[in-house]
Amino acid sequence: MKNTKPALLILFCLFLFTSISFSQTADKLVINGYAGWGYGKSDENNYLLGTENGKYANYNLALAIASNPADRVNIFSSFDLQRRHEDNITGTYSSSQPDKILMKINYIFAEYTFNDAVRFRVGKVKAPFGLYTETFNVGTTRPFFTLPTSIYASPGLVTQSYLGVGITGSYYFENNWGFQYDVYGGELNLERYADFTNPTFPAIVDTRLPDMFGLRLICHTGLDGLNIGVSGYMGAPEFFYNGVKKTNYFISGKHMILDFHLEYLTDAISLRSEYERIQKNDGKDVEVDGYYVEAAYKLFGHWQAAALYDKQNYIVHDPVFSQLIALNPSTVKHEEWAFGLNYWFTPNFVIKFSYHMVDGNLFAKPKDIMAAMINNEFEEKTNLLLVGTQFSF
Amino acid sequence: MKTLKLILIFCLLFLFTLSFAQTKGSFKVIVHKSNSNSSLNKVEISKLFLKKTTRWKGSKQKVEPVDLVDTSPVRENFSTEIHNKKVGAIKAYWQKLIFSGRRVPPPEKKTDIDVLKYVHENTGAIGYVSNSANLKNYDVKILKVE
């Protein structure tokens, strides 16, 4: 908790600064934000926000500031405060370390608009990947409190922003068809995670993907609300175990991540699905297939019922790593059903209840993961109850 | 004869009620007087308000849409007529764009007069006001919706 005060102080100063600026240039600066709090209780393993004893301390706050200093120039920035384990973003992994309040810059970039079809971006830019990376922690844009784990909790593969340059744009035809694209390059700093594969050498892993290249293409179909897209990025990662660069690591070769998505949104219906294919070292070492289907329906204006099916297949070809996994095959398995009921006071304020049933320990981890690894004792089934609120302004 | 009169009165009352209900949230789309466009179709107007199109046809001037607040019945009607969606769905659309660092929504004004002032002061502006709004004293004109 040592870093709480400086983080709060920085946030306060930012807020003060932006508030003053806002009052001075009301038409040039727009401030928005989002926040949330959730309680999670599981029957066995730690999963998402939940622990066996129940966990209340899950909350986050973020401010997004957009300014328009000149006709074709926009500046976008966002700052985030979260209470979570320092070693991972999803809270999926158990840790003996207490939670911390962490502050980070989600993105800060400048954009020059040549026209609607060509906009140049530079800085720490929101990573355009899949359906949700651009709104990763914004709970009011989705039916469940958390994102589907098969795609968005893969250790060392999820990122919210890239450092570099990109071009984005959109074009719409008269008949409502249209497309939106992103092409970008630079470095990805993937989300930090804890690696317990080797019980004698647990490690906090930072992954960087320098000189990477990525793209996303979304097609807005003539059927209003139906969008289909593909996205992906590739590069050769560098791994830092407990801060030290790991050389000759078996999965250091070229990574390629591909994602196909489909989204259908109406006033009442929200239907989303994604399929993700990951190949580490050209697929010679690790292959991952993840997919989910998420459906929600609004009833009587305010109530929303939701359901989710989520699965990931994680295949390791490396012989040494395979032997370790063979001892605990559930550590590479994830299959989940979830059901939710939400009450939307307004589109900006929602209370969410959800119940999750998980098979496998790829993301649902024992409280004492080291002991479980050494003794080969994993509880494969996990049930989780989540209650929380999310809001934006 | 009496019955016929009663039926006639009933029909008139019904039509009056119906027309009142339709007028309640009806709107007219307005732009600055200097705008060279005199008519646009619903899809084009929707794209302007959702910032899918950000430059005016011809002049290439920046489009500056302005909304009424989300509690306004005029906005509800505008949203259903032009976007073919409820205000809640439009709000959700904007949330995604705001937090992904792509676009910010149009400013929201409380009254017709506030919208008229905004369009009057911004040559690239487009807005909508209730049918009963008085446009006199403002440099605005009605845009025909095709």
Side-chain angles (χ1 to χ4, degrees):
Chain A
M1 296 292 280
K2 278 181 185 174
N3 62 350
T4 306
K5 283 181 183 173
L8 287 171
L9 188 68
I10 292 166
L11 193 79
F12 175 75
C13 291
L14 278 168
F15 189 77
L16 195 69
F17 166 74
T18 49
S19 301
I20 293 165
S21 306
F22 182 72
S23 63
Q24 289 173 345
T25 56
D27 290 336
K28 295 278 185 184
L29 198 73
V30 180
I31 301 171
N32 293 96
Y34 57 85
W37 167 82
Y39 168 80
K41 182 167 172 54
S42 66
D43 59 350
E44 274 295 337
N45 299 303
N46 293 347
Y47 183 58
L48 300 175
L49 314 177
T51 61
E52 191 177 358
N53 296 325
K55 188 178 174 191
Y56 287 92
N58 304 296
Y59 49 82
N60 73 309
L61 161 72
L63 285 179
I65 302 159
S67 70
N68 178 214
D71 181 27
R72 291 176 181 272
V73 177
N74 289 298
I75 311 289
F76 296 100
S77 57
S78 172
F79 310 88
D80 188 19
L81 269 179
Q82 271 189 62
R83 182 180 171 120
R84 61 178 172 86
H85 286 314
E86 190 178 20
D87 57 359
N88 76 90
I89 187 166
T90 59
T92 299
Y93 296 90
S94 66
S95 167
S96 56
Q97 298 297 313
D99 288 354
K100 289 180 176 177
I101 293 182
L102 303 173
M103 183 188 171
K104 69 173 183 179
I105 296 173
N106 284 331
Y107 58 84
I108 178 155
F109 64 93
E111 181 184 271
Y112 185 85
T113 303
F114 291 95
N115 52 51
D116 291 335
V118 183
R119 303 206 301 271
F120 173 73
R121 306 172 130 196
V122 61
K124 188 171 195 260
V125 189
K126 266 283 178 187
F129 180 80
L131 282 172
Y132 282 124
T133 50
E134 290 181 303
T135 52
F136 205 91
N137 291 316
V138 190
T140 48
T141 59
R142 58 181 184 242
F144 283 96
F145 198 92
T146 52
L147 292 173
T149 42
S150 67
I151 308 285
Y152 295 99
S154 293
L157 294 166
V158 182
T159 184
Q160 295 184 55
S161 53
Y162 66 86
L163 299 160
V165 296
I167 296 173
T168 185
S170 57
Y171 186 83
Y172 293 91
F173 300 95
E174 285 183 8
N175 55 5
N176 243 350
W177 281 79
F179 67 85
Q180 183 190 322
Y181 74 92
D182 283 274
V183 182
Y184 56 97
E187 181 177 281
L188 286 177
N189 287 322
L190 304 174
E191 295 297 341
R192 172 177 282 190
Y193 68 99
D195 183 357
F196 298 100
T197 313
N198 183 349
T200 58
F201 184 60
I204 305 302
V205 185
D206 287 298
T207 314
R208 290 180 202 156
L209 212 63
D211 307 326
M212 64 83 205
F213 167 77
L215 60 83
R216 183 174 71 177
L217 182 66
I218 299 173
C219 174
H220 303 281
T221 69
L223 176 62
D224 194 18
L226 179 64
N227 307 316
I228 302 164
V230 58
S231 54
Y233 57 84
M234 58 165 53
E238 294 175 350
F239 296 93
F240 295 81
Y241 269 59
N242 296 328
V244 180
K245 188 173 177 180
K246 190 162 183 165
T247 52
N248 301 321
Y249 191 38
F250 83 98
I251 53 168
S252 293
K254 189 175 77 180
H255 278 36
M256 190 174 77
I257 293 103
L258 262 181
D259 176 280
F260 299 91
H261 72 252
L262 181 146
E263 177 181 57
Y264 180 60
L265 304 172
T266 69
D267 285 339
I269 298 167
S270 116
L271 181 65
R272 294 182 176 98
S273 184
E274 283 186 76
Y275 167 78
E276 184 184 63
R277 168 85 178 160
I278 301 164
Q279 288 188 332
K280 296 183 181 183
N281 199 9
D282 286 327
K284 291 174 202 153
D285 294 331
V286 176
E287 290 176 272
V288 180
D289 289 293
Y291 57 90
Y292 73 86
V293 179
E294 179 194 81
Y297 187 77
K298 272 198 173 164
L299 312 149
F300 319 119
H302 293 281
W303 290 96
Q304 184 184 43
L308 169 77
Y309 178 73
D310 189 38
K311 189 172 182 184
Q312 188 180 103
N313 299 314
Y314 195 99
I315 302 157
V316 179
H317 298 301
D318 177 79
V320 179
F321 203 35
S322 297
Q323 280 178 356
L324 282 169
I325 286 168
L327 297 171
N328 298 296
S330 72
T331 56
V332 289
K333 182 181 177 189
H334 176 78
E335 187 172 12
E336 176 180 0
W337 280 97
F339 300 94
L341 185 65
N342 307 325
Y343 186 83
W344 293 82
F345 290 90
T346 71
N348 300 91
F349 176 27
V350 59
I351 289 182
K352 296 179 178 177
F353 305 84
S354 60
Y355 190 76
H356 304 248
M357 292 163 285
V358 182
D359 186 6
N361 299 104
L362 185 57
F363 302 114
K365 299 289 185 185
K367 190 162 55 181
D368 190 344
I369 193 165
M370 304 300 287
M373 292 290 289
I374 291 163
N375 302 321
N376 298 333
E377 284 179 357
F378 278 84
E379 187 59 50
E380 293 185 26
K381 308 277 184 189
T382 307
N383 293 296
L384 169 75
L385 176 72
L386 281 184
V387 183
T389 180
Q390 291 172 312
F391 35 91
S392 56
F393 51 91
Chain B
M1 195 62 183
K2 262 188 177 178
T3 316
L4 191 67
K5 270 184 184 175
L6 277 170
I7 290 170
L8 194 66
I9 289 166
F10 177 77
C11 286
L12 283 170
L13 273 171
F14 177 73
L15 283 173
F16 176 76
T17 314
L18 194 70
S19 66
F20 178 74
Q22 283 176 341
T23 317
K24 196 180 171 189
S26 60
F27 59 88
K28 46 196 172 195
V29 179
I30 55 168
V31 291
H32 194 269
K33 222 167 204 172
S34 63
N35 195 312
S36 58
N37 294 280
S38 56
S39 67
L40 289 173
N41 64 38
K42 286 181 182 179
V43 175
E44 288 171 319
I45 293 171
S46 176
K47 284 177 188 167
L48 295 175
F49 276 88
L50 298 179
K51 295 192 178 178
K52 289 178 176 175
T53 305
T54 58
R55 301 273 152 183
W56 283 104
K57 275 195 291 188
S59 71
K60 298 292 176 194
Q61 190 179 8
K62 188 180 176 185
V63 181
E64 295 183 75
V66 57
D67 261 318
L68 280 165
V69 288
D70 55 10
T71 49
S72 162
V74 180
R75 176 158 178 189
E76 187 65 56
N77 198 23
F78 175 83
S79 193
T80 313
E81 283 279 313
I82 301 295
H83 298 309
N84 208 19
K85 283 186 169 67
K86 288 182 180 173
V87 176
I90 299 300
K91 285 281 206 185
Y93 164 85
W94 280 116
Q95 279 188 50
K96 190 168 181 181
L97 265 66
I98 290 167
F99 297 117
S100 55
R102 291 197 173 266
R103 292 268 186 268
V104 291
E108 294 183 344
K109 303 292 179 187
K110 280 184 183 171
T111 65
D112 283 347
I113 291 172
D114 294 333
V115 172
L116 285 164
K117 277 183 187 168
Y118 186 89
V119 178
H120 170 86
E121 288 165 4
N122 295 283
T123 52
I126 179 169
Y128 54 89
V129 290
S130 64
N131 258 342
S132 58
N134 186 356
L135 308 190
K136 276 182 188 173
N137 305 322
Y138 298 99
D139 286 340
V140 302
K141 67 177 185 183
I142 296 171
L143 191 74
K144 193 179 165 191
V145 182
E146 291 171 345

Coordinates of all heavy atoms in Angstrom, one line a residue, chain A residues 172-222:
Chain A
Y172 N -18.1 4.7 -45.0 CA -19.4 4.2 -45.0 C -20.1 4.5 -46.4 O -20.0 5.6 -46.9 CB -20.3 4.9 -43.9 CG -19.8 4.5 -42.5 CD1 -18.8 5.2 -41.9 CD2 -20.3 3.3 -41.9 CE1 -18.3 4.9 -40.6 CE2 -19.8 3.0 -40.7 CZ -18.8 3.7 -40.0 OH -18.4 3.4 -38.8
F173 N -20.7 3.4 -46.9 CA -21.4 3.6 -48.1 C -22.8 4.1 -47.9 O -23.3 4.1 -46.7 CB -21.5 2.2 -48.9 CG -20.1 1.7 -49.2 CD1 -19.5 0.8 -48.3 CD2 -19.4 2.1 -50.3 CE1 -18.2 0.3 -48.6 CE2 -18.1 1.6 -50.6 CZ -17.6 0.7 -49.7
E174 N -23.5 4.5 -48.9 CA -24.9 5.1 -48.8 C -25.9 4.1 -48.2 O -26.8 4.4 -47.6 CB -25.3 5.7 -50.1 CG -24.6 7.0 -50.4 CD -25.1 7.6 -51.7 OE1 -26.2 7.1 -52.2 OE2 -24.5 8.6 -52.1
N175 N -25.6 2.8 -48.5 CA -26.6 1.7 -48.1 C -26.3 1.2 -46.7 O -26.8 0.1 -46.4 CB -26.6 0.6 -49.1 CG -25.2 0.0 -49.2 OD1 -24.3 0.4 -48.5 ND2 -25.0 -0.9 -50.1
N176 N -25.6 1.9 -45.9 CA -25.3 1.5 -44.5 C -24.2 0.6 -44.3 O -23.7 0.3 -43.2 CB -26.6 0.9 -43.8 CG -27.0 1.8 -42.6 OD1 -26.3 2.7 -42.2 ND2 -28.2 1.5 -42.1
W177 N -23.7 0.0 -45.4 CA -22.5 -0.8 -45.3 C -21.3 0.1 -45.0 O -21.3 1.3 -45.4 CB -22.2 -1.6 -46.6 CG -23.1 -2.8 -46.7 CD1 -24.4 -2.9 -47.1 CD2 -22.7 -4.2 -46.5 NE1 -24.8 -4.2 -47.1 CE2 -23.8 -5.0 -46.7 CE3 -21.5 -4.8 -46.0 CZ2 -23.8 -6.4 -46.6 CZ3 -21.5 -6.2 -45.9 CH2 -22.7 -7.0 -46.2
G178 N -20.3 -0.4 -44.4 CA -19.1 0.4 -44.2 C -18.0 -0.4 -43.6 O -18.2 -1.6 -43.3
F179 N -16.8 0.1 -43.4 CA -15.7 -0.6 -42.8 C -14.9 0.4 -42.0 O -14.8 1.6 -42.2 CB -14.9 -1.4 -43.8 CG -14.1 -0.5 -44.7 CD1 -12.8 0.0 -44.4 CD2 -14.6 -0.2 -46.0 CE1 -12.1 0.8 -45.3 CE2 -13.9 0.6 -46.9 CZ -12.6 1.1 -46.5
Q180 N -14.2 -0.2 -41.0 CA -13.3 0.6 -40.2 C -12.0 -0.2 -40.1 O -12.0 -1.5 -40.0 CB -13.9 0.7 -38.8 CG -13.1 1.5 -37.8 CD -13.7 1.4 -36.4 OE1 -14.9 1.3 -36.2 NE2 -12.8 1.3 -35.4
Y181 N -10.8 0.4 -40.2 CA -9.6 -0.3 -40.2 C -8.6 0.3 -39.2 O -8.7 1.5 -38.9 CB -9.0 -0.4 -41.6 CG -8.4 0.9 -42.1 CD1 -7.0 1.2 -41.9 CD2 -9.2 1.9 -42.6 CE1 -6.5 2.4 -42.2 CE2 -8.6 3.1 -43.0 CZ -7.3 3.3 -42.8 OH -6.8 4.5 -43.2
D182 N -7.6 -0.5 -38.8 CA -6.5 0.0 -38.1 C -5.2 -0.7 -38.5 O -5.2 -1.9 -38.7 CB -6.6 -0.3 -36.6 CG -7.6 0.7 -35.9 OD1 -7.1 1.8 -35.5 OD2 -8.8 0.4 -35.8
V183 N -4.2 0.0 -38.8 CA -2.9 -0.6 -39.1 C -1.9 0.1 -38.1 O -1.9 1.3 -38.0 CB -2.4 -0.3 -40.5 CG1 -1.1 -1.0 -40.8 CG2 -3.5 -0.8 -41.5
Y184 N -1.1 -0.7 -37.4 CA -0.2 -0.1 -36.4 C 1.1 -0.9 -36.3 O 1.2 -2.1 -36.6 CB -0.9 0.1 -35.1 CG -1.5 -1.2 -34.5 CD1 -0.7 -1.9 -33.6 CD2 -2.7 -1.7 -34.9 CE1 -1.2 -3.1 -33.0 CE2 -3.2 -2.9 -34.4 CZ -2.5 -3.6 -33.4 OH -3.0 -4.7 -32.9
G185 N 2.1 -0.2 -35.7 CA 3.4 -0.8 -35.5 C 4.1 -0.2 -34.3 O 3.8 1.0 -34.0
G186 N 5.0 -0.9 -33.7 CA 5.7 -0.3 -32.6 C 6.0 -1.4 -31.6 O 6.4 -2.6 -31.9
E187 N 5.8 -1.1 -30.3 CA 6.0 -2.1 -29.3 C 4.8 -2.3 -28.4 O 4.1 -1.4 -28.1 CB 7.2 -1.6 -28.3 CG 7.5 -2.6 -27.2 CD 8.7 -2.2 -26.4 OE1 9.8 -2.4 -26.8 OE2 8.4 -1.7 -25.3
L188 N 4.5 -3.6 -28.1 CA 3.4 -3.9 -27.2 C 4.1 -4.3 -25.9 O 5.0 -5.1 -25.8 CB 2.6 -5.1 -27.7 CG 1.7 -4.9 -28.9 CD1 1.1 -6.3 -29.3 CD2 0.6 -3.9 -28.6
N189 N 3.6 -3.7 -24.8 CA 3.9 -4.2 -23.5 C 2.7 -5.0 -23.0 O 1.7 -4.4 -22.6 CB 4.2 -3.0 -22.5 CG 5.5 -2.3 -22.9 OD1 6.5 -3.0 -23.2 ND2 5.5 -1.0 -22.8
L190 N 2.9 -6.3 -23.0 CA 1.8 -7.1 -22.6 C 1.6 -7.2 -21.1 O 2.5 -6.8 -20.3 CB 2.0 -8.6 -23.1 CG 2.2 -8.6 -24.6 CD1 2.6 -10.0 -25.1 CD2 1.0 -8.1 -25.4
E191 N 0.4 -7.5 -20.7 CA 0.1 -7.5 -19.2 C 0.9 -8.4 -18.5 O 1.2 -9.6 -18.8 CB -1.4 -7.8 -19.0 CG -2.4 -6.8 -19.6 CD -2.3 -5.5 -19.0 OE1 -1.7 -5.3 -17.9 OE2 -2.8 -4.5 -19.6
R192 N 1.4 -7.9 -17.3 CA 2.3 -8.7 -16.4 C 1.5 -9.9 -15.9 O 0.3 -9.8 -15.6 CB 2.7 -7.8 -15.3 CG 3.4 -8.4 -14.2 CD 3.9 -7.4 -13.2 NE 5.0 -6.7 -13.6 CZ 5.7 -5.9 -12.9 NH1 5.4 -5.6 -11.6 NH2 6.8 -5.2 -13.3
Y193 N 2.2 -11.0 -15.7 CA 1.5 -12.2 -15.1 C 2.5 -13.0 -14.2 O 3.7 -12.8 -14.3 CB 0.9 -13.1 -16.2 CG 1.9 -13.8 -17.0 CD1 2.2 -15.1 -16.8 CD2 2.5 -13.2 -18.1 CE1 3.1 -15.8 -17.6 CE2 3.4 -13.8 -18.9 CZ 3.7 -15.1 -18.7 OH 4.6 -15.8 -19.5
A194 N 1.9 -13.9 -13.4 CA 2.8 -14.7 -12.5 C 2.9 -16.1 -13.1 O 1.9 -16.7 -13.6 CB 2.1 -14.8 -11.2
D195 N 4.1 -16.6 -13.2 CA 4.3 -17.9 -13.8 C 4.7 -18.9 -12.7 O 5.8 -18.7 -12.0 CB 5.5 -17.8 -14.8 CG 5.7 -19.2 -15.5 OD1 5.1 -20.1 -15.1 OD2 6.6 -19.2 -16.4
F196 N 3.9 -19.9 -12.4 CA 4.1 -20.8 -11.4 C 4.4 -22.2 -12.0 O 4.4 -23.2 -11.3 CB 2.9 -21.0 -10.5 CG 2.6 -19.7 -9.7 CD1 1.6 -18.8 -10.2 CD2 3.4 -19.3 -8.6 CE1 1.3 -17.7 -9.5 CE2 3.1 -18.1 -8.0 CZ 2.1 -17.3 -8.4
T197 N 4.7 -22.2 -13.3 CA 4.9 -23.5 -14.0 C 6.0 -24.3 -13.3 O 5.9 -25.5 -13.1 CB 5.3 -23.3 -15.4 OG1 4.4 -22.3 -16.0 CG2 5.3 -24.6 -16.2
N198 N 7.1 -23.7 -12.9 CA 8.2 -24.3 -12.2 C 8.1 -24.0 -10.8 O 8.4 -22.8 -10.4 CB 9.5 -23.9 -12.8 CG 10.7 -24.6 -12.2 OD1 10.5 -25.3 -11.1 ND2 11.9 -24.5 -12.7
P199 N 7.6 -24.9 -9.9 CA 7.4 -24.6 -8.5 C 8.6 -24.1 -7.8 O 8.5 -23.4 -6.8 CB 6.9 -25.9 -7.9 CG 6.4 -26.7 -9.0 CD 7.3 -26.3 -10.2
T200 N 9.8 -24.5 -8.2 CA 11.0 -24.0 -7.6 C 11.4 -22.6 -8.0 O 12.3 -22.0 -7.5 CB 12.1 -25.0 -7.8 OG1 12.3 -25.1 -9.2 CG2 11.8 -26.4 -7.2
F201 N 10.8 -22.1 -9.1 CA 11.2 -20.8 -9.6 C 9.9 -20.0 -10.0 O 9.7 -19.8 -11.2 CB 12.1 -21.0 -10.8 CG 12.7 -19.7 -11.3 CD1 13.4 -18.8 -10.5 CD2 12.4 -19.3 -12.6 CE1 13.9 -17.6 -11.0 CE2 12.9 -18.1 -13.2 CZ 13.6 -17.3 -12.3
P202 N 9.1 -19.6 -9.1 CA 8.0 -18.8 -9.4 C 8.4 -17.4 -9.9 O 9.4 -16.9 -9.4 CB 7.2 -18.7 -8.1 CG 8.2 -19.0 -7.0 CD 9.2 -19.9 -7.6
A203 N 7.8 -16.9 -10.8 CA 8.3 -15.6 -11.4 C 7.2 -14.7 -11.8 O 6.1 -15.1 -12.2 CB 9.2 -15.9 -12.6
I204 N 7.5 -13.4 -11.7 CA 6.6 -12.4 -12.3 C 7.2 -12.1 -13.7 O 8.4 -11.8 -13.8 CB 6.6 -11.1 -11.4 CG1 6.2 -11.4 -10.0 CG2 5.7 -10.0 -12.0 CD1 4.9 -12.1 -9.8
V205 N 6.3 -12.2 -14.7 CA 6.8 -12.1 -16.0 C 6.3 -10.9 -16.7 O 5.1 -10.6 -16.8 CB 6.4 -13.4 -16.9 CG1 7.0 -13.4 -18.2 CG2 6.7 -14.6 -16.1
D206 N 7.3 -10.1 -17.3 CA 6.9 -9.0 -18.2 C 7.3 -9.4 -19.6 O 8.3 -10.0 -19.8 CB 7.7 -7.8 -17.8 CG 7.3 -7.1 -16.5 OD1 6.1 -6.7 -16.5 OD2 8.0 -7.1 -15.5
T207 N 6.3 -9.2 -20.5 CA 6.6 -9.6 -21.9 C 6.5 -8.3 -22.8 O 5.5 -7.6 -22.7 CB 5.5 -10.6 -22.4 OG1 5.4 -11.6 -21.4 CG2 5.9 -11.2 -23.7
R208 N 7.5 -8.1 -23.6 CA 7.5 -7.0 -24.5 C 7.6 -7.6 -25.9 O 8.2 -8.6 -26.2 CB 8.7 -6.1 -24.3 CG 8.6 -5.3 -23.1 CD 9.9 -4.5 -22.9 NE 10.0 -4.1 -21.5 CZ 11.2 -3.8 -20.9 NH1 12.3 -3.7 -21.7 NH2 11.2 -3.5 -19.7
L209 N 6.9 -7.0 -26.8 CA 6.8 -7.4 -28.2 C 7.3 -6.2 -29.0 O 6.5 -5.4 -29.6 CB 5.4 -7.8 -28.6 CG 5.2 -8.9 -29.6 CD1 5.7 -10.2 -29.1 CD2 3.7 -9.0 -29.9
P210 N 8.7 -6.1 -29.2 CA 9.2 -4.9 -30.0 C 9.0 -5.2 -31.5 O 8.9 -6.4 -31.9 CB 10.7 -4.9 -29.5 CG 11.0 -6.3 -29.2 CD 9.8 -6.9 -28.7
D211 N 9.0 -4.2 -32.2 CA 9.0 -4.2 -33.7 C 7.8 -5.1 -34.1 O 7.9 -5.9 -35.1 CB 10.3 -4.8 -34.3 CG 11.5 -4.1 -33.8 OD1 11.4 -2.9 -33.6 OD2 12.5 -4.7 -33.5
M212 N 6.7 -5.0 -33.5 CA 5.5 -5.8 -33.9 C 4.7 -5.0 -34.9 O 4.9 -3.8 -35.1 CB 4.7 -6.1 -32.6 CG 4.0 -5.0 -31.9 SD 2.5 -4.4 -32.7 CE 2.4 -2.7 -32.1
F213 N 3.8 -5.7 -35.5 CA 2.9 -5.2 -36.5 C 1.5 -5.7 -36.3 O 1.4 -6.9 -36.0 CB 3.4 -5.6 -37.9 CG 2.5 -5.3 -39.0 CD1 2.3 -4.0 -39.5 CD2 1.7 -6.3 -39.6 CE1 1.4 -3.8 -40.5 CE2 0.8 -6.1 -40.6 CZ 0.6 -4.8 -41.1
G214 N 0.6 -4.8 -36.4 CA -0.8 -5.3 -36.1 C -1.8 -4.7 -37.0 O -1.6 -3.6 -37.6
L215 N -3.0 -5.3 -37.1 CA -4.1 -4.7 -37.9 C -5.4 -5.2 -37.4 O -5.5 -6.2 -36.7 CB -3.9 -5.0 -39.4 CG -3.9 -6.5 -39.8 CD1 -5.3 -7.1 -40.0 CD2 -3.2 -6.6 -41.1
R216 N -6.4 -4.4 -37.7 CA -7.8 -4.8 -37.5 C -8.7 -4.3 -38.6 O -8.5 -3.1 -39.0 CB -8.3 -4.3 -36.1 CG -9.7 -4.8 -35.8 CD -10.2 -4.4 -34.4 NE -10.4 -2.9 -34.3 CZ -10.9 -2.3 -33.2 NH1 -11.1 -3.0 -32.1 NH2 -11.1 -1.0 -33.2
L217 N -9.6 -5.1 -39.0 CA -10.6 -4.7 -40.0 C -12.0 -5.1 -39.5 O -12.2 -6.2 -39.2 CB -10.3 -5.4 -41.3 CG -11.2 -5.0 -42.5 CD1 -11.0 -3.5 -42.9 CD2 -10.9 -5.9 -43.7
I218 N -12.9 -4.1 -39.5 CA -14.2 -4.3 -39.1 C -15.2 -4.0 -40.2 O -15.0 -2.9 -40.8 CB -14.6 -3.5 -37.9 CG1 -13.7 -3.9 -36.7 CG2 -16.1 -3.8 -37.5 CD1 -13.9 -3.0 -35.5
C219 N -16.1 -4.9 -40.5 CA -17.1 -4.6 -41.6 C -18.4 -4.4 -40.9 O -18.9 -5.2 -40.2 CB -17.1 -5.8 -42.5 SG -18.5 -5.7 -43.7
H220 N -19.0 -3.2 -41.2 CA -20.3 -2.9 -40.7 C -21.3 -3.3 -41.8 O -21.3 -2.7 -42.9 CB -20.5 -1.4 -40.4 CG -19.5 -0.9 -39.4 ND1 -19.6 -1.1 -38.0 CD2 -18.3 -0.2 -39.5 CE1 -18.5 -0.6 -37.4 NE2 -17.7 -0.1 -38.3
T221 N -22.1 -4.3 -41.5 CA -22.9 -4.9 -42.6 C -24.2 -4.0 -42.8 O -24.5 -3.1 -42.0 CB -23.4 -6.3 -42.2 OG1 -24.3 -6.2 -41.1 CG2 -22.2 -7.2 -41.9
G222 N -24.9 -4.3 -43.8 CA -26.1 -3.5 -44.1 C -27.2 -3.8 -43.1 O -28.1 -3.0 -43.0

